[in-house]
Amino acid sequence: MASRIGALIPALLAGALALFVLAPVLAVAARATGFALGPADWAAVRFTAAQAFVSALVSVTLAVPVARALARRSFAGRGALITLMGAPFLLPTIVAVLALVAVFGRAGVVNQGLGLFGMGPISVYGAHGVVLAHVFLNLPLAVRMLLQGWQAIPSERFRLAESLGFGPAQMARHLEWPMLRSVAPGAFLVIFVICLTSFAVALTLGGGPGATTVELAIFQAVRFEFNLGRAALLAAVQFALCAVVAVLGWLLVTPAAFGAGLGRQALLRPPGGWRRGGDALAIGLAAAFLLLPLGAVVLRGLPGLDELPAHVWAAAGRSVLVALTSTAVTVAAALVLALAVARGGRGAGAIDAAAALPLATSGLVLGVGLFLMVQPFVSPARLALPVTVAVNAALTLPFVYRLLLPEARVLLSDYGRLADSLGLRGWARLRWLVLPRLARPLGFGAGLAAALSMGDLGVIALFATEQSATLPLVVQRLMGAYRLEAAAGAALLLVGVSFALFWVFDYGGRRYAAV
Amino acid sequence: MLRFDRVVLAQEEFRLSVDWELPAGARVAVIGPSGAGKSTLLAAVAGFFAPQSGRVLWQGADLGPLDPGARPVTILFQDQNLFPHLTLAQNLGLGLRPDLRLSAAQRTQIDTVLERVGLGGMGARKPAQLSGGQIGRASLARALLRARPVLLLDEPFAALGPALKAEMLALVAEVADETGALVMMVTHDPADAKAFAALTVLVADGLAHAPAPTEALFANPPPALRAYLG
């Protein structure tokens, strides 16, 4: 009997998740005023699609020479650089923005350099600033996905090509181009989706008629105009936009495995001549583009770290609490769903779809929907933190789930029958089989979820008051008040805590992982 | 008594009919070409493969509704018989209590059984530190602890050399004697069948033939067996 009830848990969980994602959409649809978008709304839709397209295109295009150089060259620090390419995924968006302002802003090194040549200052704000930030955040992701593609080409293939006397041009035509044709569209689509729901970047660098995303327009409609009908309409549009692209992505893209097997040796005989210089240039420029802004945050933040206002520390405490709670929820839910789907049987397809469902929505869509739902009963501001926890948990769940699913499948095919034949189930199965064997992906997934939640600046902006602000929100507000020293100090704290959370979980998982 | 009551095992193109019974405590070799369904036959007893029709009964009771762990069965697979992340003692302990809340008496029991199969003092080791033969013995030690009345061997010793395999079969015989278990052993090797099993079941052409005395069967093989032996 107990096992029959146990078998229901994943189905109930999947149902609850679907409800949590879809009910706000219904609330939004019910509240939307008419179905006519105003000119400003159309501008937001156009800008959202255009900036996502350009950001994805630039990221993937720039990633090609960098990934190729990394794939075929060996040099000191290659491993460290590849690892570093994973870091921006964990970097809180608001910190990335601050870093870019430090380098490309009015007082940044770039404008100082331009000034030396008598050229006028460029501005980091506006549409091009939004694209710049998106490329900064997503170029590493594109590089990692393409690098994986390069390394998935069997080395026998390269050896065969060398033995046939292929030059670099033939290599590119027969080996590299076919790989890119299959991998690059996936990378493009993933980045396109990420940029489609961009909020923090648009909030800080965009705004105004030429650079407002739908996500930002939703926020403004709620926060500044208090026009809930318009916010609801925009949220419905955003959901439609995301859902279409998410379904496309789910169908077309095989997920990028993080970290796995990227350390493979470079080519034995990489091409020389001008290609050598070109590769060095690609790697050097990419490293500078990624490292300089981060270095700038550290340099600026360190002095400010000493005299952080007290409310920054309070916000940091709240953020850690939010991150840990939503991580616990996400990881537990993702594990239950992944185990159920790995086991297969009736309903596995539906559970799999439910686990992917949050990809079809966005933080602000969920936020506005929940806002509308709770508003008649309780002041939304009082629920700021619980809502943030729930939204963060739902939005990170697909990532953690996709990380766990293949591992759960392996676990089941290797040891499922043995465990069944020994009558290992319930808590005993979790304790003696699942946790030890999945510790590594669970730790990595928890680290990812914690860092993403820690750095998230989305739905909290909609609900928060002074008393419930999280650390990313405080950074944004300090930035908005032009207290850049304090903002940099708080940003440094935010990065430190985010990376520390990731490291603790990931290391803990690897440490606990069985042979 | 293990009874196959008009059992049909089917999956896509595959189909196997079984309709006979085995006395408790018998030792039976299951022989036949690859893909004929030897492992599937064992899986049906262990609870990993539900028959399309018919019932598998132990002492008159239908095994159908029982989960694999609740069946009167211990099965040894071709590999992965031990959890690599648990120590040998823990792996054996799972045979006594799946939640591993072991009493002092049970711990002593584990040590005794380890001693018995020649792994004395190795309780704290992980499977990766053991040889293939030692892993086989540890799996049999757990079968000894579980003492279920049916022991299914799905070629767990296939990867061992001839001398080690003979040693394992001798140990299986000991375990079977001690627990009084009915043993069904899948094998490719007629020598194994002759050395170990009084009865042999030939699985070929969609049919699990009724068990026949091993000596007589190999002395005068029917056409299907002759085709397999070549």
Side-chain angles (χ1 to χ4, degrees):
Chain A
M1 197 61 202
S3 70
R4 301 283 173 274
I5 295 173
L8 272 180
I9 291 178
L12 290 175
L13 188 64
L17 179 64
L19 193 69
F20 183 77
V21 172
L22 295 178
V25 177
L26 292 180
V28 154
R31 189 58 192 267
T33 45
F35 288 94
L37 292 173
D41 304 331
W42 275 117
V45 172
R46 271 199 308 275
F47 176 70
T48 302
Q51 61 82 19
F53 183 85
V54 174
S55 301
L57 192 66
V58 173
S59 297
V60 174
T61 310
L62 291 182
V64 172
V66 180
R68 175 170 155 144
L70 281 173
R72 66 186 183 189
R73 303 285 167 190
S74 53
F75 53 92
R78 176 173 178 261
L81 194 59
I82 292 175
T83 307
L84 185 81
M85 293 284 170
F89 194 66
L90 302 175
L91 188 70
T93 314
I94 189 69
V95 177
V97 169
L98 199 65
L100 289 172
V101 170
V103 171
F104 295 94
R106 196 162 306 163
V109 283
V110 170
N111 273 325
Q112 284 174 2
L114 286 176
L116 289 181
F117 296 96
M119 284 186 269
I122 55 162
S123 168
V124 72
Y125 298 96
H128 56 280
V130 171
V131 170
L132 178 72
H134 285 160
V135 172
F136 177 76
L137 284 164
N138 294 306
L139 175 63
L141 179 63
V143 169
R144 281 178 75 92
M145 287 179 83
L146 296 190
L147 184 57
Q148 214 154 36
W150 247 286
Q151 304 204 327
I153 302 176
S155 47
E156 291 82 1
R157 211 71 66 77
F158 278 111
R159 247 181 280 154
L160 176 64
E162 280 186 24
S163 76
L164 292 174
F166 277 22
Q170 283 99 332
M171 288 261 198
R173 183 168 157 215
H174 295 291
L175 296 179
E176 300 177 323
W177 174 241
M179 180 280 295
L180 279 178
R181 229 175 20 198
S182 76
V183 175
F188 175 88
L189 205 57
V190 166
I191 296 171
F192 184 77
V193 176
I194 293 175
C195 297
L196 212 51
T197 58
S198 172
F199 172 66
V201 167
L203 177 68
T204 43
L205 296 179
T212 297
T213 58
V214 178
E215 201 81 343
L216 179 59
I218 297 173
F219 170 76
Q220 287 167 343
V222 174
R223 201 74 190 195
F224 301 147
E225 307 162 18
F226 208 74
N227 185 344
L228 289 180
R230 177 162 177 251
L233 177 59
L234 285 165
V237 170
Q238 175 77 327
F239 179 78
L241 213 57
C242 292
V244 168
V245 180
V247 167
L248 275 180
W250 195 252
L251 295 178
L252 298 179
V253 179
T254 45
F258 302 81
L262 288 182
R264 202 179 78 184
Q265 283 299 304
L267 276 188
L268 274 182
R269 266 184 302 282
W274 64 270
R275 290 190 174 83
R276 198 178 151 80
D279 284 355
L281 192 68
I283 292 173
L285 283 178
F289 177 53
L290 297 173
L291 285 175
L292 280 181
L294 292 180
V297 168
V298 174
L299 283 183
R300 278 206 174 187
L302 278 176
L305 213 50
D306 257 359
E307 46 214 78
L308 282 179
H311 74 275
V312 171
W313 292 103
R318 277 192 290 275
S319 278
V320 170
L321 202 66
V322 164
L324 291 180
T325 319
S326 74
T327 299
V329 174
T330 298
V331 171
L335 180 61
V336 168
L337 297 179
L339 288 173
V341 171
R343 198 163 256 277
R346 244 159 35 112
I351 294 176
D352 185 56
L357 199 57
L359 290 175
T361 188
S362 77
L364 272 277
V365 171
L366 280 180
V368 169
L370 292 169
F371 193 101
L372 293 170
M373 285 159 71
V374 302
Q375 191 206 15
F377 311 104
V378 50
S379 155
R382 293 185 55 190
L383 292 179
L385 293 182
V387 164
T388 305
V389 165
V391 169
N392 284 351
L395 291 182
T396 42
L397 187 129
F399 296 101
V400 182
Y401 167 79
R402 286 207 123 178
L403 216 59
L404 289 178
L405 183 59
E407 309 274 351
R409 290 211 161 109
V410 170
L411 172 75
L412 205 67
S413 80
D414 282 356
Y415 300 106
R417 283 187 165 197
L418 175 58
D420 287 346
S421 78
L422 292 171
L424 203 56
R425 53 184 196 199
W427 284 112
R429 193 178 175 108
L430 192 68
R431 166 83 182 78
W432 297 112
L433 177 64
V434 175
L435 292 184
R437 297 242 39 108
L438 296 187
R440 200 176 283 267
L442 279 172
F444 183 75
L448 210 62
L452 288 178
S453 179
M454 184 75 201
D456 178 68
L457 172 57
V459 69
I460 186 70
L462 209 54
F463 284 76
T465 59
E466 277 306 318
Q467 286 75 39
S468 57
T470 57
L471 192 50
L473 189 58
V474 167
V475 174
Q476 187 260 326
R477 284 179 179 171
L478 287 171
M479 232 179 114
Y482 294 101
R483 295 177 56 191
L484 289 185
E485 290 295 314
L492 196 55
L493 178 65
L494 177 57
V495 180
V497 178
S498 296
F499 283 17
L501 282 176
F502 172 77
W503 185 84
V504 165
F505 280 113
D506 184 45
Y507 178 78
R510 278 184 284 136
R511 191 67 202 279
Y512 183 66
V515 247
Chain B
M1 185 166 74
L2 182 67
R3 184 158 163 231
F4 295 87
D5 177 20
R6 281 168 295 170
V7 170
V8 176
L9 305 171
Q11 190 174 48
E12 288 155 29
E13 297 295 290
F14 171 83
R15 203 178 155 81
L16 182 70
S17 308
V18 202
D19 189 20
W20 35 259
E21 58 195 42
L22 294 167
R27 290 183 200 169
V28 187
V30 179
I31 201 164
S34 298
K38 303 184 296 291
S39 292
T40 311
L41 180 63
L42 262 58
V45 180
F48 295 118
F49 197 100
Q52 189 186 57
S53 65
R55 298 179 304 164
V56 181
L57 305 110
W58 172 248
Q59 309 296 33
D62 185 7
L63 292 182
L66 296 181
D67 284 341
R71 297 191 175 206
V73 171
T74 289
I75 182 166
L76 298 196
F77 305 102
Q78 211 160 60
D79 45 22
Q80 321 274 36
N81 283 302
L82 300 179
F83 293 113
H85 57 281
L86 299 179
T87 65
L88 212 45
Q90 286 175 315
N91 266 298
L92 263 59
L94 288 175
L96 292 171
R97 277 199 71 150
D99 61 4
L100 284 183
R101 289 192 196 136
L102 301 170
S103 66
Q106 284 171 321
R107 286 175 203 283
T108 317
Q109 206 184 339
I110 291 171
D111 290 340
T112 315
V113 170
L114 279 174
E115 195 78 47
R116 170 75 204 285
V117 300
L119 298 173
M122 297 194 187
R125 296 205 189 170
K126 298 262 180 91
Q129 297 164 283
L130 301 180
S131 69
Q134 288 173 323
I135 287 177
R137 276 187 262 162
S139 317
L140 282 171
R142 189 173 57 208
L144 207 51
L145 285 174
R146 276 165 65 83
R148 303 275 167 121
V150 178
L151 177 58
L152 305 174
L153 305 177
D154 193 2
E155 299 192 87
F157 314 125
L160 302 180
L164 263 181
K165 194 161 77 173
E167 191 188 315
M168 286 303 134
L169 286 181
L171 191 55
V172 170
E174 265 183 60
V175 171
D177 280 341
E178 194 163 318
T179 57
L182 160 66
V183 182
M184 288 177 80
M185 176 180 77
V186 170
T187 182
H188 281 105
D189 187 351
D192 288 352
K194 287 184 214 163
F196 176 79
L199 295 174
T200 293
V201 164
L202 172 67
V203 177
D205 308 323
L207 184 67
H209 295 264
T214 306
E215 284 301 329
L217 191 71
F218 283 106
N220 186 14
L225 182 58
R226 208 173 302 138
Y228 171 65
L229 295 173

